[in-house]
Amino acid sequence: MNARTLQDGLATAWLGRALAFVESVDSTNRWAADELAARVLPPGAVFVAERQTRGRGTGGTRWLSDDADGLWFSAVLHEPICTAPLSFLPAIALVDLAREELGIADVHLKWPNDVLSADRKLAGILLESQRQSDGRQAWIVGIGVNVNQARLPPEAGAAVSLRLLTGRTLRREAVFQRLLLRIEKLYDERTDLIARWRERSRMIGKRVRATRGGRVAWVHVLDIDAHGHLRIVHDDGARETWVSSTDLDIDRSWAL
Ligand code: BTN
């Protein structure tokens, strides 16, 4: 994989047209943030690494990505197209790609940004906002997809790859290009990400076990609201809206 093979055959108009590739970096989100701080980047600039030595996950966790089997990249977007988090974009795009192009029926979304197959994690997304060198706001959408791993390390938790789900080794460039095309389309069409997210998730209506700030609770998921926040109700009837997944761990047994 290199910048040429990633761009050769890419059919997008603007996403990934500016593309930088390295064999190894600590984190593509960190790399994109530094680039943004240093100079004005075109919307849709993409930073791809073959491997990450300190891949970042949500809530300060580590994202294991020191193999050359996955897709580890960050895209820079300049406009928030709707009140839903931009992190919904790649998650929705990947579910559709997996279902429609790879024939994986069992793929769905866990709030806020995880792509699961049954209860195993296929992809994660880390959205960060950052001020550009000209003072304007930009969003760094970091995307990690397990593609060709034949097995995943136990530290990755319950995880799965496209290869394990399809029985095929895939050309990562093709997955990258198809994913970018779908993300660009959803973005350009100002898609209602809330409706799309809801249609692709099995969480709504489920009773889930959540650990927040060290406390375990069973709650019932009511819906997501117009901002993409999760509305839940506790057993005693108290309602809450969860805004972020920081310090929150939602167990995945409902996904089976
Ligand atoms: C999660 O915890 O689910 C989010 C994982 C996000 C991983 C991707 S890989 C590319 C980009 N660079 C990073 O350091 N993290 C994101």
Side-chain angles (χ1 to χ4, degrees):
M1 196 158 84
N2 57 50
R4 190 186 52 75
T5 61
L6 284 162
Q7 281 191 311
D8 208 1
L10 181 65
T12 56
W14 53 270
L15 185 57
R17 288 285 138 211
L19 183 145
F21 172 86
V22 285
E23 286 292 334
S24 179
V25 74
D26 53 348
S27 152
T28 56
N29 267 40
R30 197 278 312 149
W31 179 22
D34 280 3
E35 292 290 327
L36 264 175
R39 60 199 169 93
V40 176
L41 297 174
V46 170
F47 297 84
V48 191
E50 184 80 89
R51 289 184 174 76
Q52 295 184 123
T53 53
R54 290 195 68 81
R56 294 182 353 204
T58 49
T61 58
R62 186 91 182 263
W63 177 259
L64 288 176
S65 39
D66 53 2
D67 60 64
D69 289 322
L71 275 177
W72 324 123
F73 67 97
S74 300
V76 175
L77 300 176
H78 284 191
E79 301 287 336
I81 51 167
C82 63
T83 57
L86 283 172
S87 53
F88 281 10
L89 266 177
I92 292 166
L94 183 63
V95 167
D96 291 356
L97 188 158
R99 286 184 186 167
E100 294 166 21
E101 300 182 46
L102 300 173
I104 305 168
D106 182 2
V107 57
H108 62 102
L109 297 173
K110 174 184 177 239
W111 187 85
N113 309 311
D114 292 352
V115 181
L116 305 184
S117 181
D119 63 343
R120 292 184 294 169
K121 186 151 158 172
L122 177 63
I125 289 131
L126 177 64
L127 178 71
E128 295 177 299
S129 71
Q130 158 98 17
R131 204 159 288 285
Q132 303 177 68
S133 55
D134 65 0
R136 285 183 308 151
Q137 192 81 357
W139 282 261
I140 299 168
V141 190
I143 304 166
V145 187
N146 297 325
V147 182
N148 281 331
Q149 290 88 348
R151 67 182 66 81
L152 289 134
E155 310 88 87
V160 74
S161 65
L162 290 174
R163 174 173 168 185
L164 290 168
L165 292 169
T166 59
R168 284 188 288 139
T169 302
L170 301 167
R171 204 171 156 260
R172 282 176 300 154
E173 287 93 333
V175 177
F176 173 80
Q177 292 172 358
R178 298 299 305 165
L179 187 58
L180 254 51
L181 194 60
R182 285 181 179 269
I183 294 171
E184 182 180 278
K185 190 161 186 291
L186 289 170
Y187 189 92
D188 283 347
E189 289 174 354
R190 301 291 194 260
T191 306
D192 180 351
L193 297 179
I194 299 294
R196 298 277 179 115
W197 190 94
R198 213 181 255 136
E199 287 160 12
R200 285 156 186 76
S201 181
R202 297 184 191 152
M203 271 184 107
I204 294 164
K206 293 276 164 60
R207 201 169 136 77
V208 306
R209 201 173 74 108
T211 310
R212 281 191 92 203
R215 292 179 59 181
V216 181
W218 282 92
V219 303
H220 202 84
V221 178
L222 295 172
D223 202 355
I224 51 166
D225 68 14
H227 303 280
H229 302 157
L230 196 71
R231 293 177 47 235
I232 58 105
V233 57
H234 289 270
D235 283 348
D236 65 3
R239 289 179 180 228
E240 234 183 296
T241 300
W242 290 347
V243 171
S244 114
S245 60
T246 305
D247 203 24
L248 170 70
D249 181 39
I250 302 177
D251 141 301
R252 302 183 200 150
S253 49
W254 52 271
L256 288 168

